Amino acid sequence: GAGRSGRSRRTASAGGTSRPHRARRSRGPSGATGAVGPRGPTGATGAVGPRGPTGAAGAMGPRGPTGARGPTGATGPAGATGDRGPAGARGATGPAGADGEDGARGPQGARGANGVSVTTRSVAQSQTCPNGGVEVTGANGTTEVCDGAPGPAGVPCVNCVRRRSLNGTETQVFQDAAGCGGGLFLLPGTCSTQQCGICVTGAPNFRRCDGTCPSCGSQQRCSRVTAGYLLAPSIGN
């Protein structure tokens, strides 16, 4: 019949036979969730996925400890020459060096011109030499060598007596050498010889102690000699 019942219906199949058709039951409410079952075995590792984008740079970490010194590197090429710096301060003078060896002897020089002989003449008195002197003429010109001013007067020897020894209150009197001028003095001592001309070399020429004038001599020191004795007024003449 057309109405629904709990009985099955038959439907025709392709072969002409029929089979029973069960009636559809309605779904009941869902039951409570069951307990989680035990964990299954780990599955096989899957394939590597594509590389993700580069992340942002992280903050700089703290400075690490200084590492060990590495080996010395190879010497680099020489750099370009720099500009010249300013001159430094002058250093202290160093010690004198040792004398060097004598050099080789040089060649002989050319013969010089003949020299001019030195001539002299006495000058009684001139503006240059008020006490007289000697005029000297040589290759380098003419010059005058003046005599010195007269010395002080010596001790009068009116009461002098020539004796070999003292007698009573007699006072010994000394005389300069002839080359010094021969003055008289009350004390012993020495004197310097006087100039008597010019040497050929142009140097001054001095007398000897005995008063003679050599061709060229240096100044000498001469001892005073005993001239005699001066009598005291109490003895008389």
Side-chain angles (χ1 to χ4, degrees):
R4 289 184 179 181
S5 68
R7 292 176 297 179
S8 60
R9 290 179 303 174
R10 293 183 180 269
T11 57
S13 61
T17 60
S18 62
R19 58 180 181 178
H21 182 77
R22 296 180 180 178
R24 180 178 297 178
R25 299 177 181 178
S26 61
R27 186 174 182 177
S30 298
T33 302
V36 177
R39 183 172 182 173
T42 302
T45 302
V48 177
R51 182 172 181 173
T54 303
M60 182 179 290
R63 182 173 181 174
T66 302
R69 183 171 181 175
T72 303
T75 302
T81 302
D83 296 335
R84 183 172 182 174
R90 182 172 182 174
T93 302
D99 293 339
E101 298 179 357
D102 293 338
R105 185 171 182 175
Q108 183 174 355
R111 182 187 181 94
N114 293 331
V116 177
S117 299
V118 176
T119 60
T120 61
R121 72 179 183 89
S122 298
V123 177
Q125 190 177 17
S126 68
Q127 185 177 0
T128 305
C129 298
N131 298 305
V134 178
E135 183 183 78
V136 180
T137 302
N140 57 347
T142 301
T143 185
E144 291 183 355
V145 179
C146 303
D147 292 339
V155 178
C157 198
V158 177
N159 297 324
C160 290
V161 294
R162 301 284 181 176
R163 294 186 180 177
R164 295 182 180 272
S165 61
L166 294 176
N167 184 10
T169 57
E170 297 170 348
T171 301
Q172 190 173 8
V173 179
F174 300 91
Q175 185 176 22
D176 275 348
C180 301
L184 298 174
F185 300 88
L186 297 178
L187 295 174
T190 59
C191 61
S192 299
T193 54
Q194 298 175 340
Q195 185 174 339
C196 61
I198 295 293
C199 300
V200 177
T201 60
N205 185 23
F206 293 91
R207 296 183 183 275
R208 300 187 181 95
C209 290
D210 61 6
T212 58
C213 183
S215 59
C216 186
S218 58
Q219 192 174 40
Q220 300 178 3
R221 295 290 296 179
C222 310
S223 299
R224 291 172 181 167
V225 296
T226 301
Y229 299 91
L230 180 64
L231 299 177
S234 59
I235 298 177
N237 298 333

